[in-house]
Structure formats: structure tokens, C-alpha cells
Amino acid sequence: MVAFIDTHVHLNADQYDDDLQQVIDRALEAKVEKMVVIGFDRKTIERAMSLANQCDFIYAVIGWHPVDAIDCTEQDLAWIEELAAHPKVVGIGETGLDYYWDKSPKDVQQFWFRKQIKLAQKLNLPIIIHNRDATGDVVRILREENAATVGGIMHCFGGSVETARECIDMNFMISLGGPVTFKNARQPKEVAKEIPLEHLLIETDAPYLAPHPYRGKRNEPCYVPLVAEEIARQKELSLEEVANATTANAIRFFKLDV
């Protein structure tokens, strides 16, 4: 029996306002049996919590996105801490650093990144990391804040095998998404090939980053098997082996109900 878990999906995004139930139904039909919905600001956190309450197969991760760090307040963090007592909140994030977009200054991003690592440690929850063009600072801050005490996920990992190994040494899982299927995605394919299966998770980041052959279109959680297929291809394993391993990894990592 092949089953998948989409460990990072934004079913709370506006892009699904018109057909959310159909999107969920297609995911279930594709054997995506559990989904972790990420809330990263007030609106998306509220929607993530609502979905987790409505569906027994949906879990929530809540935090504040680095692009919007400039809008974050101590009250927001206190609210996140309060919500995190809910049994279906399984992580803090996505947090981290994004130096591609310039909405939030680097020092502001780093301030709230550190605060959310400390919050995750206080709550004993894993941290889900967003990293864009900021690998050096992300890894440095994780080390400085001793993030290994709770560990986490390097979401939609696009770095090198060496960086992946550094993160694994800090108790982080490596999650691969749609970009691993792109023909020119050298580094994600190398990571899929070289990193042991016990350290890998799969995700869509839907509605963003749809895998080949849907690249450029709206992504959906029903496409997560395509990510597993590419990992299987790189590792010369069966799809069933990759599906079973990544599903077991996600259940263990998030302590999900089986």
C-alpha cells in the first residue's frame, strides 16, 4: 500500500478559494493521506488552524514568514505560542531568512528568526526553515541558537549536498519539492541521490513550485508523488520504497496520529 504525506502545503492560500474541496479530494485520491498546512501570517495561520480542526488528516505548522518579518510583533508571537498548545500544531514556521525579496531588512528578519527558534525550543516543537539566498546566515543562526535541541526541516531544500549534511548534523530533515523534478535542477537531484532516505521528506509547497510537467501552473498536493518518483529515479529505488520511507519519516518527525 503506497501512501504519501505532503509535509509543506498552503491549502490556506487564496489560490484555492474556488475549489479547495476538489483539491483536497484529488490529493486523497492520489494517496496523499496526510497534509501539513503552513500558516505564516495572521490570515494564513487562522486558515491553517481552521483546516486542522475540520479535517483529521490535516495538521498545522504556524509561524511568521521572513519576507513579512517587518510586520511581526511581540503580540503576534504570543498569539502563535497560545495557538501552539493545540494538539494538531506540529511545528513552528515557516521562519528563516529570505534575502531575495527586500521587504524586510536583514537585521529584522534575523531578529524574528532567532525569536521563533527560542519559541520552538520553549514549546519543544520542530522548526520549519525557509531559506532563500541566505544559506550562510541561516546555518550560522541555527548553530548559534542551538537549534539542534529541537531540530526541524529545511523546507524545499535547494542547497548543496555539503549544506544538507551540515543541517542533518543539527538534527534537521531535508525536504525536497517540485524543483527536484526540473531538468536543470542539478543540486536538488544530487541531494536526492546522495542524502540517505532516512533524512528525506517530500512536499509540494503548493500552490507554488509545481513539479514537471506542471511547472509554471498552480501546484496541488496531489502532485507530491511526482517528487517521490524523481527521488526514486535518482536513488534507483522503487516508488513504493521512497513513499514508505518518507511517510514513515514524516509520521515519526511530526509525531502524527497513525
Side-chain angles (χ1 to χ4, degrees):
M1 175 66 182
V2 175
F4 305 91
I5 295 179
D6 189 346
T7 62
H8 194 113
V9 59
H10 299 279
L11 292 175
N12 45 358
D14 293 343
Q15 287 92 326
Y16 299 121
D17 282 355
D18 294 334
D19 63 345
L20 178 59
Q21 189 56 55
Q22 292 96 312
V23 169
I24 291 172
D25 290 345
R26 282 193 288 272
L28 296 173
E29 287 166 16
K31 301 291 189 271
V32 183
E33 295 190 342
K34 296 182 190 294
M35 292 166 261
V36 181
V37 174
I38 314 298
F40 56 80
D41 59 16
R42 281 261 168 186
K43 179 180 175 181
T44 59
I45 288 171
E46 287 172 352
R47 287 184 168 188
M49 296 300 297
S50 176
L51 284 164
N53 280 320
Q54 290 169 35
C55 305
D56 59 2
F57 51 85
I58 289 179
Y59 298 81
V61 164
I62 56 175
W64 211 269
H65 200 286
V67 170
D68 299 314
I70 199 165
D71 301 322
C72 193
T73 66
E74 292 289 352
Q75 288 80 9
D76 292 321
L77 228 55
W79 178 61
I80 288 167
E81 180 176 353
E82 184 182 322
L83 291 176
H86 193 293
K88 293 190 77 182
V89 172
V90 294
I92 297 298
E94 60 189 279
T95 181
L97 302 174
D98 190 313
Y99 293 170
Y100 180 82
W101 302 106
D102 61 0
K103 178 182 174 184
S104 296
K106 292 180 181 179
D107 60 330
V108 174
Q109 292 189 42
Q110 292 180 21
F111 175 82
W112 290 109
F113 183 23
R114 291 181 189 273
K115 295 278 277 191
Q116 289 181 83
I117 294 171
K118 289 182 172 71
L119 177 60
Q121 290 166 329
K122 179 180 178 181
L123 300 171
N124 195 30
L125 287 171
I127 316 154
I128 284 61
I129 303 298
H130 173 102
N131 167 30
R132 190 165 186 190
D133 296 350
T135 300
D137 282 349
V138 165
V139 172
R140 174 178 59 82
I141 289 170
L142 290 174
R143 286 198 186 283
E144 289 174 358
E145 296 295 338
N146 199 21
T149 56
V150 287
I153 299 173
M154 305 306 291
H155 140 65
C156 206
F157 186 79
S160 66
V161 171
E162 292 72 27
T163 300
R165 288 178 176 143
E166 273 190 88
C167 295
I168 290 166
D169 287 344
M170 289 190 288
N171 200 22
F172 277 75
M173 299 291 287
I174 305 301
S175 184
L176 296 173
V180 74
T181 69
F182 300 168
K183 290 177 182 175
N184 59 349
R186 181 181 58 82
Q187 285 197 142
K189 290 184 192 298
E190 285 179 2
V191 167
K193 182 178 180 179
E194 298 294 334
I195 296 302
L197 204 45
E198 61 262 31
H199 300 297
L200 293 179
L201 296 171
I202 56 176
E203 64 168 271
T204 57
D205 200 22
Y208 317 107
L209 297 174
H212 178 79
Y214 303 102
R215 187 176 184 177
K217 299 178 180 177
R218 186 186 72 169
N219 200 0
E220 293 192 17
C222 66
Y223 298 153
V224 82
L226 296 171
V227 176
E229 283 177 11
E230 182 60 29
I231 295 170
R233 196 156 29 244
Q234 294 299 323
K235 289 191 172 300
E236 299 181 352
L237 297 172
S238 70
L239 175 61
E240 186 174 10
E241 286 175 287
V242 173
N244 290 343
T246 55
T247 294
N249 291 347
I251 289 169
R252 182 182 69 252
F253 176 83
F254 282 123
K255 302 179 176 68
L256 303 182
D257 304 322
V258 180

